Amino acid sequence: MIARERRQEYMYIVHSLQSAGANVDVKSTREWTGVHIMRGTDLAESHETGTKQESKKIDPKELLESAAAGKDKSKSDDQKPPVVNEFFPKLEDLESEEKMIKKYSTHLTKEEQQEFIEEVNVILVTATSIEYRAVMGATAPTGGDGKYIKVITKDGSTNFILGKYGRCNVAVIMTEQGPDNTQKVLTSVLDDVKAEYVIAIGICYGAKESKTEELGDKTKLANIIVAKSIVNTEHQRSEEKRNVLPDTYHCGEKLLNLFKHEKVFNFKDKSVKVHVGVLASEFTLHRNEEEKQKILKQVPQALGGEMEANGINRVAVAKKDKFQWIVIKSIVDWGNEDKDKTWQPFGAVSCARFVLKCLKDQPDEGDPLKKTIK
């Protein structure tokens, strides 16, 4: 009788918590979940009667507190990413005939090439469709007809979009993930577009959600990292019991000066902290905290990691540093087992809008990254 009454009490607790939106799958300090509440009488009864294998007595109070505290934080109102649909166009909209003028380089006259391509001085690099959509949502068409212009590169291997990013004439590209794809696409575009600046915009993983000596405060989801340098963690190795430090590549000084002064970026009623620091770069999609920390062990100052910067640096070296480059990305996960896509749209959009704001907020009129007179 006592067990039956206790079961009814536990069932009432579970249903009450579920109705309130609690996550009854969360584990307590004793590895109990809300499911144990439903089965609690079995455990309690076995403890009291001794007819079944003995187990720990369940404290209803602990279960109640555990399940209540287990409300899924990623879905609670203060942890939900703001909705950014209006800044996040669909790919089919960007490719529609109504919005896109498809100009191919083989069809352009020399004068048209001068008009549309030689004015471009900034290449915006995105790797994924999420990043591309976010950047295109902040890019205005070049002409007065409200249409974008797509250009196929002369070698026919890729394409880019001509647009206005604030006061800058830009070419927007999507490379796919990884340094090799980035190197290939960017090299092709730079053969057509003699840009002096390359800005990679997008999303990344955070190294750790804890205080760092460099930051003095916590990095959190949606925080933006402006890279002052990139550490190539792809080829870490040890030689004769000593560690060989990974190569470090410094981002362009002029670009860093444009973006490093903002400490907080307010977007969609959310305050996003902006950190200036180090990003690790390698072609690895981390989903395990232990493996991630192994890679980052030699780069304790890294605030996060991404996968395209090494490819951009390769192109810069091959072009004998004829352009400056920088990586600016938003933390959308921690590169561990809890990795999901919840924060990706907001992170990509807020990062793209942050770059746009910084380019617009320059004190002088006109393009802040206009071409150098040679």
Side-chain angles (χ1 to χ4, degrees):
M1 180 68 69
I2 295 175
R4 187 177 299 110
E5 291 175 353
R6 189 167 292 165
R7 171 178 284 277
Q8 291 175 346
E9 178 186 357
Y10 293 161
M11 290 178 66
Y12 173 77
I13 291 172
V14 170
H15 291 309
S16 297
L17 288 168
Q18 286 179 323
S19 299
N23 180 6
V24 295
D25 294 320
V26 71
K27 290 184 178 180
S28 72
T29 55
R30 298 187 187 181
E31 295 297 306
W32 289 330
T33 71
V35 176
H36 289 105
I37 298 174
M38 298 295 290
R39 296 163 50 192
T41 53
D42 295 334
L43 297 174
E45 184 179 12
S46 66
H47 181 82
E48 292 172 359
T49 64
T51 58
K52 298 181 181 179
Q53 184 178 357
E54 185 176 351
S55 59
K56 295 179 181 179
K57 187 176 181 180
I58 295 177
D59 181 355
K61 185 174 184 294
E62 180 186 348
L63 287 168
L64 177 62
E65 291 174 348
S66 174
K71 242 185 170 181
D72 189 344
K73 292 183 179 179
S74 66
K75 296 179 182 179
S76 62
D77 290 340
D78 60 337
Q79 293 295 322
K80 281 184 179 179
V83 177
V84 291
N85 293 343
E86 68 268 37
F87 305 101
F88 198 56
K90 296 179 180 178
L91 284 177
E92 51 265 36
D93 291 338
L94 293 171
E95 293 289 339
S96 71
E97 292 295 334
E98 294 179 357
K99 294 187 177 181
M100 185 74 71
I101 300 175
K102 296 183 179 180
K103 293 267 188 177
Y104 301 95
S105 59
T106 53
H107 299 164
L108 293 175
T109 66
K110 186 175 181 179
E111 291 73 19
E112 286 175 322
Q113 288 181 355
Q114 290 288 118
E115 179 182 358
F116 290 116
I117 297 177
E118 290 194 2
E119 290 182 356
V120 173
N121 199 32
V122 181
I123 297 176
L124 302 181
V125 177
T126 66
T128 66
S129 61
I130 288 175
E131 296 172 344
Y132 175 73
R133 290 165 61 189
V135 169
M136 284 300 295
T139 303
T142 54
D145 57 1
K147 294 185 179 182
Y148 297 101
I149 295 176
K150 175 185 280 189
V151 179
I152 303 298
T153 54
K154 292 175 183 177
D155 63 10
S157 66
T158 189
N159 63 74
F160 55 90
I161 307 299
L162 294 173
K164 295 285 290 187
Y165 212 72
R167 299 189 299 240
C168 296
N169 297 307
V170 301
V172 182
I173 65 175
M174 181 169 64
T175 65
E176 298 183 1
Q177 291 180 308
D180 295 342
N181 289 328
T182 301
Q183 179 182 7
K184 180 180 178 181
V185 173
L186 183 57
T187 298
S188 176
V189 174
L190 277 167
D191 287 340
D192 290 9
V193 180
K194 309 303 179 183
E196 294 179 333
Y197 302 98
V198 172
I199 305 173
I201 302 173
I203 57 178
C204 66
Y205 71 82
K208 53 186 175 180
E209 189 179 14
S210 61
K211 289 186 178 180
T212 63
E213 182 179 347
E214 187 168 20
L215 290 180
D217 61 354
K218 289 185 177 181
T219 50
K220 297 181 179 180
L221 291 175
N223 282 186
I224 293 170
I225 300 174
V226 175
K228 67 178 181 181
S229 60
I230 299 293
V231 177
N232 181 358
T233 55
E234 192 121 41
H235 303 295
Q236 294 187 49
R237 64 191 187 280
S238 297
E239 293 181 359
E240 297 180 358
K241 297 183 180 180
R242 71 183 182 89
N243 290 329
V244 178
L245 294 179
D247 293 331
T248 298
Y249 316 127
H250 295 284
C251 296
E253 184 178 358
K254 184 172 182 178
L255 290 172
L256 182 59
N257 286 336
L258 280 177
F259 301 108
K260 72 178 183 180
H261 300 291
E262 296 283 336
K263 303 303 179 187
V264 176
F265 176 56
N266 294 306
F267 181 67
K268 290 288 290 183
D269 297 324
K270 183 173 180 61
S271 293
V272 176
K273 284 190 176 181
V274 180
H275 307 289
V276 178
V278 179
L279 274 174
S281 186
E282 65 171 298
F283 194 15
T284 302
L285 190 63
H286 289 290
R287 294 184 181 274
N288 181 279
E289 182 68 27
E290 184 178 352
E291 291 302 315
K292 181 190 75 173
Q293 292 304 331
K294 284 181 183 178
I295 295 297
L296 297 175
K297 186 176 180 180
Q298 295 186 53
V299 198
Q301 73 275 29
L303 307 181
E306 59 84 75
M307 296 191 287
E308 289 73 46
N310 287 333
I312 298 174
N313 180 69
R314 291 179 201 165
V315 180
V317 172
K319 296 287 185 181
K320 298 181 179 180
D321 295 323
K322 289 185 178 180
F323 65 88
Q324 289 190 32
W325 60 275
I326 196 169
V327 177
I328 303 174
K329 297 199 173 183
S330 174
I331 297 174
V332 296
D333 60 59
W334 301 109
N336 56 24
E337 295 83 352
D338 296 327
K339 183 184 183 76
D340 62 34
K341 298 181 179 180
T342 302
W343 283 89
Q344 288 187 6
F346 178 78
V349 168
S350 62
C351 190
R353 297 284 160 166
F354 166 75
V355 173
L356 179 65
K357 178 181 182 296
C358 290
L359 292 176
K360 282 183 174 180
D361 284 354
Q362 299 309 306
D364 297 331
E365 293 296 325
D367 185 346
L369 293 173
K370 59 185 177 183
K371 287 199 174 185
T372 304
I373 299 176
K374 299 180 179 179

